[in-house]
Amino acid sequence: PAWDGSAEPPKFSEKERAGLITRAALLATGSANTRPIKKGVFLRERVLCDNIAAPPANVAGAAPELSADLTTREVTEKLTEQKGSSCAACHSTQINGLGFPTENFDALGRVRTEQRLFTEDGEFVKAKSVDTTSVPRVVPSDDSKVSNAQELSDKMLETGKAQACFARQFTRFTFARENDLKKDGCVLEAMRKPLVEGKSLKDVMRTLALSTEFRQRYFGENQ
């Protein structure tokens, strides 16, 4: 039921609904397509703070078209992971493995175990099981598998990359500029450490608000 904002926020009952990346804010696409590529790029760049090389100039940015025979994952793999293709280098190692673990949620963010396939005219053809197993390579050298979104979330936390990226993103927003590791290194570490220790976001935000970098504006070269 819709939350009226007065009582405690509702709790999701599905066991699959664990962590930030299973929330509708990330999963809902506004189309019939679940957009695993878009989700993978978002997690790689915004949650892990990794850089992805620019795509080839002739690559279209539209979502892969839905198929009457293949799941969205199968269509994506066919288009982007073919051996020898210019797409495979990034998609198979940096993007797809982060997007596929949430394929058990549809384009509205609802839990599913199958994807219903339709013709272009909207005629139902069949349902196929969704596959959420992937090698996300949160750390490039790690080729271990995850089987769902919760395991992916756990892996991102275990590496410490998600916490370090949160510190970077929050200071970027707060200071309205890019990070300068030489100048901001101390405050970034001060924010990262309580996150790794499992302290609350309130504690982390307080740490930044009480820092010298927050309370004193720096006027230097290129500022």
Short mmCIF file of all heavy atoms in Angstrom, two decimals, residues 2 20-21 30 34 37 43 48 55 89 99 106 112 118 124 137 195 200 206 216:
data_model
loop_
_atom_site.label_atom_id
_atom_site.label_comp_id
_atom_site.label_asym_id
_atom_site.label_seq_id
_atom_site.Cartn_x
_atom_site.Cartn_y
_atom_site.Cartn_z
N ALA A 2 0.30 2.33 -0.55
CA ALA A 2 1.03 3.60 -0.60
C ALA A 2 1.30 4.11 0.81
O ALA A 2 0.46 3.99 1.70
CB ALA A 2 0.23 4.63 -1.39
N LEU A 20 20.49 -1.13 -1.84
CA LEU A 20 20.13 0.01 -2.67
C LEU A 20 19.80 -0.38 -4.10
O LEU A 20 18.88 0.17 -4.71
CB LEU A 20 21.30 1.01 -2.66
CG LEU A 20 21.16 2.25 -3.54
CD1 LEU A 20 20.08 3.16 -2.99
CD2 LEU A 20 22.49 2.99 -3.63
N ILE A 21 20.54 -1.34 -4.66
CA ILE A 21 20.39 -1.61 -6.10
C ILE A 21 19.14 -2.41 -6.44
O ILE A 21 18.88 -2.67 -7.61
CB ILE A 21 21.64 -2.31 -6.67
CG1 ILE A 21 21.80 -3.72 -6.08
CG2 ILE A 21 22.88 -1.48 -6.43
CD1 ILE A 21 22.94 -4.49 -6.73
N GLY A 30 11.00 3.18 -17.19
CA GLY A 30 10.07 3.96 -17.98
C GLY A 30 9.82 3.38 -19.36
O GLY A 30 9.27 4.04 -20.23
N THR A 34 14.47 -3.67 -19.44
CA THR A 34 15.10 -3.54 -18.12
C THR A 34 16.43 -2.81 -18.15
O THR A 34 16.97 -2.47 -17.10
CB THR A 34 15.31 -4.93 -17.49
OG1 THR A 34 16.02 -5.77 -18.42
CG2 THR A 34 13.98 -5.57 -17.14
N ILE A 37 22.45 -2.71 -19.48
CA ILE A 37 23.66 -1.95 -19.82
C ILE A 37 23.69 -0.63 -19.04
O ILE A 37 24.70 -0.26 -18.44
CB ILE A 37 23.74 -1.69 -21.34
CG1 ILE A 37 23.91 -3.00 -22.10
CG2 ILE A 37 24.88 -0.73 -21.66
CD1 ILE A 37 23.84 -2.85 -23.61
N LEU A 43 26.33 1.62 -12.03
CA LEU A 43 27.03 1.04 -10.88
C LEU A 43 28.54 1.19 -11.01
O LEU A 43 29.23 1.49 -10.03
CB LEU A 43 26.65 -0.43 -10.73
CG LEU A 43 25.20 -0.71 -10.33
CD1 LEU A 43 24.95 -2.21 -10.27
CD2 LEU A 43 24.87 -0.06 -9.00
N LEU A 48 30.93 2.66 -7.90
CA LEU A 48 32.30 2.17 -7.72
C LEU A 48 33.36 3.19 -8.13
O LEU A 48 34.55 2.98 -7.89
CB LEU A 48 32.49 0.87 -8.53
CG LEU A 48 31.60 -0.30 -8.11
CD1 LEU A 48 31.79 -1.47 -9.06
CD2 LEU A 48 31.88 -0.73 -6.68
N PRO A 55 32.44 4.66 -25.78
CA PRO A 55 32.08 3.67 -26.81
C PRO A 55 32.52 4.13 -28.19
O PRO A 55 32.79 5.32 -28.39
CB PRO A 55 30.56 3.61 -26.70
CG PRO A 55 30.16 4.95 -26.17
CD PRO A 55 31.27 5.35 -25.23
N ALA A 89 35.19 -5.89 -25.11
CA ALA A 89 36.23 -5.59 -24.13
C ALA A 89 35.67 -4.91 -22.89
O ALA A 89 36.02 -5.26 -21.76
CB ALA A 89 37.31 -4.72 -24.77
N GLY A 99 25.13 -5.35 -14.48
CA GLY A 99 23.73 -5.13 -14.82
C GLY A 99 22.86 -6.37 -14.74
O GLY A 99 21.67 -6.29 -14.42
N ASP A 106 11.55 -6.65 -13.08
CA ASP A 106 11.13 -6.17 -14.39
C ASP A 106 11.36 -4.66 -14.52
O ASP A 106 11.96 -4.04 -13.63
CB ASP A 106 9.67 -6.55 -14.68
CG ASP A 106 8.67 -5.84 -13.77
OD1 ASP A 106 9.03 -4.86 -13.08
OD2 ASP A 106 7.50 -6.27 -13.75
N ARG A 112 10.51 -10.85 -10.32
CA ARG A 112 10.05 -11.84 -11.29
C ARG A 112 11.03 -13.02 -11.32
O ARG A 112 12.19 -12.88 -10.93
CB ARG A 112 9.94 -11.23 -12.69
CG ARG A 112 11.30 -10.83 -13.27
CD ARG A 112 11.18 -10.24 -14.65
NE ARG A 112 12.51 -9.94 -15.22
CZ ARG A 112 12.71 -9.43 -16.42
NH1 ARG A 112 11.67 -9.16 -17.20
NH2 ARG A 112 13.93 -9.19 -16.85
N PHE A 118 7.02 -11.27 -26.07
CA PHE A 118 5.89 -10.90 -26.93
C PHE A 118 6.38 -10.60 -28.35
O PHE A 118 7.54 -10.22 -28.55
CB PHE A 118 5.17 -9.66 -26.38
CG PHE A 118 4.58 -9.83 -25.02
CD1 PHE A 118 5.35 -9.65 -23.88
CD2 PHE A 118 3.24 -10.18 -24.88
CE1 PHE A 118 4.80 -9.81 -22.62
CE2 PHE A 118 2.68 -10.34 -23.62
CZ PHE A 118 3.46 -10.16 -22.49
N PHE A 124 1.49 -12.55 -26.82
CA PHE A 124 2.33 -13.32 -25.93
C PHE A 124 2.84 -14.58 -26.63
O PHE A 124 2.07 -15.30 -27.27
CB PHE A 124 1.55 -13.70 -24.67
CG PHE A 124 2.31 -14.60 -23.74
CD1 PHE A 124 3.41 -14.14 -23.03
CD2 PHE A 124 1.93 -15.92 -23.59
CE1 PHE A 124 4.11 -14.98 -22.17
CE2 PHE A 124 2.61 -16.78 -22.74
CZ PHE A 124 3.72 -16.30 -22.03
N ARG A 137 33.24 -8.54 -11.63
CA ARG A 137 34.57 -7.92 -11.63
C ARG A 137 34.55 -6.55 -10.96
O ARG A 137 34.97 -5.55 -11.54
CB ARG A 137 35.14 -7.82 -13.04
CG ARG A 137 35.36 -9.17 -13.71
CD ARG A 137 36.11 -9.07 -15.02
NE ARG A 137 36.18 -10.35 -15.70
CZ ARG A 137 37.06 -11.32 -15.44
NH1 ARG A 137 37.97 -11.10 -14.50
NH2 ARG A 137 37.04 -12.45 -16.10
N LEU A 195 32.33 4.41 7.27
CA LEU A 195 31.48 3.61 6.40
C LEU A 195 31.92 2.15 6.42
O LEU A 195 31.10 1.24 6.51
CB LEU A 195 31.53 4.15 4.96
CG LEU A 195 30.77 5.44 4.69
CD1 LEU A 195 31.12 5.98 3.31
CD2 LEU A 195 29.26 5.21 4.80
N SER A 200 26.61 4.83 10.82
CA SER A 200 25.48 5.37 10.07
C SER A 200 25.90 6.49 9.13
O SER A 200 26.95 7.13 9.32
CB SER A 200 24.42 5.90 11.04
OG SER A 200 24.88 7.08 11.67
N ARG A 206 28.15 14.00 9.46
CA ARG A 206 28.63 14.85 10.55
C ARG A 206 30.16 15.02 10.46
O ARG A 206 30.68 16.11 10.69
CB ARG A 206 28.25 14.25 11.91
CG ARG A 206 28.66 15.12 13.09
CD ARG A 206 28.38 14.45 14.42
NE ARG A 206 26.95 14.26 14.62
CZ ARG A 206 26.34 13.09 14.67
NH1 ARG A 206 27.04 11.98 14.52
NH2 ARG A 206 25.05 13.02 14.87
N GLN A 216 36.04 25.94 6.24
CA GLN A 216 36.89 27.01 5.71
C GLN A 216 37.02 26.87 4.21
O GLN A 216 37.42 25.81 3.72
CB GLN A 216 38.28 26.95 6.35
CG GLN A 216 38.27 27.19 7.86
CD GLN A 216 39.67 27.13 8.44
OE1 GLN A 216 40.65 27.03 7.72
NE2 GLN A 216 39.76 27.20 9.77
#
